[in-house]
Amino acid sequence: MAKEAVIPTGCWPAVLRDELAAAYAGEKTVDAFISRVGIIWPKPFIETGTGKGKFRAWRKSDLDRVIDPASVGGDPAGW
């Protein structure tokens, strides 16, 4: 029997798919988040497929750099 993958309460994974990236960034919807990717939010570091099979993923550290650059010692313009 396969063991289910679970993220402990209060933790964020290092790599975030669309839904988690949008939530982590504080956006109300995935569509709102995606509409700001490349403008406010960094582009995903993985983007493959098309349509419903599209896979995108962001590094939490890339989002952190935009949310609070001083906390990660970087400039958001450096992505």
Side-chain angles (χ1 to χ4, degrees):
M1 178 193 261
K3 187 173 182 179
E4 186 176 330
V6 178
I7 300 167
T9 302
C11 295
W12 288 95
V15 176
L16 307 167
R17 295 277 319 261
D18 296 358
E19 298 83 4
L20 286 179
Y24 187 76
E27 296 285 359
K28 291 189 183 259
T29 66
V30 172
D31 288 339
F33 174 74
I34 296 299
S35 74
R36 292 174 180 85
V37 167
I39 300 167
I40 296 172
W41 304 114
K43 293 184 179 182
F45 83 100
I46 295 174
E47 188 168 12
T48 62
T50 59
K52 290 188 178 204
K54 187 161 206 146
F55 177 87
R56 292 179 288 237
W58 286 261
R59 290 182 190 96
K60 180 181 165 290
S61 60
D62 291 343
L63 296 172
D64 287 340
R65 194 172 298 121
V66 174
I67 294 166
D68 188 7
S71 73
V72 293
D75 177 3
W79 15 283

